[in-house]
Amino acid sequence: LLAGCVQKYQSQVAAVSRGAGGVWTLTGPKSEALGEFDWLCVTSHTMGHPRWKEIFGSDLPLQSLIEDESDKELQSVVTPLESVPSSPIMVAMSAYKATDPAGAAVARLPFDIVHVTNHDKVGRIVRCSSGDYESLAVHS
């Protein structure tokens, strides 16, 4: 599916701009060019949400698009991202070989999912067996 496509991973996008001919330019947090692309697919509201600044301490990557009044159609799509309700979720996950004592202890837990109530930090605990491993994930 991705044959012939430019793929970049573990690259934080700090700014997005749209240039002549509709080419998208992505820039990293140190003003380094991440590339120019024909298409841009944003899969989360985070790049246009004020929470970005709280997490990363920098302007929103989509800020220039929000402020660009020359493209009303694009602005009408990007601007509402600021008001999407957002609750951060944190996850801590640990995995153990099933044959280790810790893995055996996790395997003996009497649940797969526990919904935690009356706790201000933990909302769910999930146990999973996969192949030779046992894992435990704690969700906020």
Side-chain angles (χ1 to χ4, degrees):
L1 181 64
L2 295 176
C5 293
V6 174
Q7 301 169 52
K8 293 193 177 202
Y9 300 99
Q10 298 179 347
S11 299
Q12 182 180 339
V13 175
V16 175
S17 60
R18 191 173 182 192
V23 174
W24 294 97
T25 301
L26 305 183
T27 306
K30 296 178 183 168
S31 299
E32 73 275 22
L34 298 176
E36 293 184 339
F37 304 90
D38 296 327
W39 294 91
L40 176 67
C41 178
V42 177
T43 60
S44 169
H45 71 286
T46 307
M47 289 177 36
H49 195 276
R51 193 169 133 231
W52 179 277
K53 191 162 190 145
E54 293 174 28
I55 296 169
F56 298 106
S58 60
D59 289 336
L60 309 176
L62 299 179
Q63 188 67 41
S64 64
L65 303 179
I66 292 168
E67 295 170 353
D68 181 6
E69 295 185 13
S70 67
D71 190 337
K72 296 288 187 194
E73 187 175 321
L74 180 59
Q75 192 179 39
S76 73
V77 173
V78 174
T79 301
L81 298 176
E82 295 177 299
S83 60
V84 172
S86 182
S87 298
I89 301 288
M90 302 300 288
V91 178
M93 182 176 176
S94 57
Y96 309 94
K97 282 203 164 241
T99 55
D100 291 345
V106 170
R108 287 192 305 272
L109 291 172
F111 62 83
D112 289 325
I113 298 175
V114 171
H115 294 279
V116 179
T117 56
N118 299 321
H119 195 281
D120 63 339
K121 302 287 188 246
V122 177
R124 183 178 346 150
I125 302 172
V126 178
R127 183 189 69 78
C128 181
S129 298
S130 180
D132 296 334
Y133 290 89
E134 298 290 333
S135 65
L136 199 60
V138 180
H139 298 251
S140 61

